């Protein structure tokens, strides 16, 4: 195997040659008949070597390459744009936008797995202190869609973003998830809408506090009841429509980070946030509650983290959950899909108030009024500094990018999806 020279320009050429050879071998093995398990296992060898080559290249050149991609950190490309710039700057390093688009929607079982290359790339970006911090700041800047909507929102009390809407009343910005068909499950489109909504609440001076809540459902089983979140949209995951960049990384680095840390850049601002947990907070919904300043839960609500059933890593829950419930209960939630009712003793660690359904509105209003105290923002910053310094989050997300990108294409995840899909089709 050729050694890298240490020169970015020379090494990108060397990498291209090496990756071309790995791709040719992988294509040959993919089309050759597999007579036994050993043949099938050998076919994964070139892909693994390719990922290792990318890791080795990026370990040498990440800082210089990132400067090139961002013009010395004077430009702020978000995840998709940064990946596209990387694909142009270093041939075969990551898939192009066109390649990802062609792969999308094939069904998770049939996708080619090149998002793992993006996991390697963004893992390396986040591992490098200066590039990683720049990317975190970039992802906490307001989205273009939010900035475009802001002028017309100034005179409106409500804006409809499809699966999410924003309402302003009584000094609070209420973000309502209304993804009716999927009981407020999140997918790429919901994440995009939620980030826009969070931006609008943070940018609009009418809101001193943000509130996240599920809208009343039209689903026959939950007709008229509010639901907080049913987690990741497993239907879209099965169909290959949950992306590493548009969902798994954007969700953590985008709207959740903006709730927790506020906006960055020229429009830097942060506000306290309230989560209102009605009925259940499953998976990603339970993850969300970990970053809020105040959580109000319905007495009938419950939390679960069915990450192992799904075969994925539950976002940043592994980083944050133990701080609230302790390491043993955190493992029970993540490893054993333990259900915790809001009214149970352990539920007290996940909510500040547990009230009957009829008292939810009043509890939210009271908490919002209390959080308008001018000293709240300064104190939430200091609490965050003690609990989760940004570099701790950055290095966690570096490993998350690598491991979650592999989990997306693991055989157990595919099998779990197939079982879930077959089970649903029989009911």
């Amino acid at each position: 195997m050729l050694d890298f020279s240490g020169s970015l320009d020379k090494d990108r050429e060397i990498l291209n040659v090496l990756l071309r050879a790995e791709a040719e071998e992988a294509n040959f093995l993919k089309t050759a008949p597999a007579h036994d398990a050993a043949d099938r296992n050998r076919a994964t060898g070139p892909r693994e070597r390719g990922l290792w080559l990318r890791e080795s290249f990026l370990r040498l050149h990440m800082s210089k390459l990132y400067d090139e991609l961002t013009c010395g950190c004077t430009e702020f490309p978000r995840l998709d744009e940064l990946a596209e710039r990387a694909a142009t700057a270093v041939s075969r390093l990551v898939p192009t936008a066109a390649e990802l688009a062609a792969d999308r929607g094939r069904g998770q079982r049939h996708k080619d797995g090149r998002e793992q290359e993006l996991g390697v790339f963004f893992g390396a970006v986040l591992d490098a202190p200066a590039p990683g911090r720049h990317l975190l700041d970039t992802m906490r800047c307001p989205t273009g869609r939010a900035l475009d909507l802001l002028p017309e929102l100034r005179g409106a009390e409500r804006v409809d973003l499809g699966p999410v809407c924003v309402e302003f009343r009584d000094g609070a910005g209420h973000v309502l998830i209304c993804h009716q068909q999927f009981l407020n499950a999140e997918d790429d489109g919901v994440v995009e809408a939620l980030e826009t909504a969070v931006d609008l609440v943070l940018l609009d001076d009418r809101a001193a506090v943000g509130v996240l809540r599920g809208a009343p459902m039209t689903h026959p089983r939950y007709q008229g009841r509010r639901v907080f979140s049913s987690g990741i949209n497993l239907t879209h995951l099965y169909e290959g429509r949950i992306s590493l960049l548009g969902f798994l990384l954007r969700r953590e680095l985008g709207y959740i980070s903006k709730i927790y840390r506020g906006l960055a850049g020229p429009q830097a601002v942060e506000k306290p946030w309230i989560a209102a947990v009605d009925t259940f907070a499953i998976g990603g919904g339970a993850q969300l509650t970990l970053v809020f300043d105040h959580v109000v839960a319905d007495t009938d609500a419950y939390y679960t983290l069915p990450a192992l059933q799904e075969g994925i890593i539950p976002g940043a829950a592994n980083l944050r959950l133990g701080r609230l419930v302790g390491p043993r209960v955190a493992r029970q939630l993540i490893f054993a899909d333990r259900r915790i009712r809001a009214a149970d003793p352990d539920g007290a660690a996940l909510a500040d108030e547990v009230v009957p359904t009829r008292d939810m509105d009043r509890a939210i209003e009271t908490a919002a009024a209390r959080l308008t105290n001018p000293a709240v923002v300064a104190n939430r910053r200091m609490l965050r500094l003690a609990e989760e310094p940004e570099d701790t989050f950055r290095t966690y997300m570096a490993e998350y990018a690598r491991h979650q990108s592999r989990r997306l294409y693991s055989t157990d995840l595919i099998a779990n999806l197939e079982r879930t899909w077959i089970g649903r089709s029989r009911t």
Side-chain angles (χ1 to χ4, degrees), residues 273-286:
W273 283 82
I274 298 166
V277 179
D278 297 279
T279 308
F280 49 67
I282 298 172

Side-chain angles (χ1 to χ4, degrees), residues 17 38 61 144 265-266 289 342 403:
V17 171
H61 299 298
T289 63
H403 290 291

Side-chain angles (χ1 to χ4, degrees), residues 347-362:
L350 294 169
D352 300 276
E353 296 179 78
V354 180
V355 301
T357 303
R358 65 179 180 274
D359 294 334
M360 286 288 288
D361 289 342
R362 183 171 58 189

Side-chain angles (χ1 to χ4, degrees), residues 4 52 112 154 210 233 325 342 366 402 409 425:
F4 290 120
W52 180 82
D112 64 13
R154 298 290 190 193
N233 188 325
V325 300
T366 301
R402 295 186 181 100
Y409 297 92
S425 66

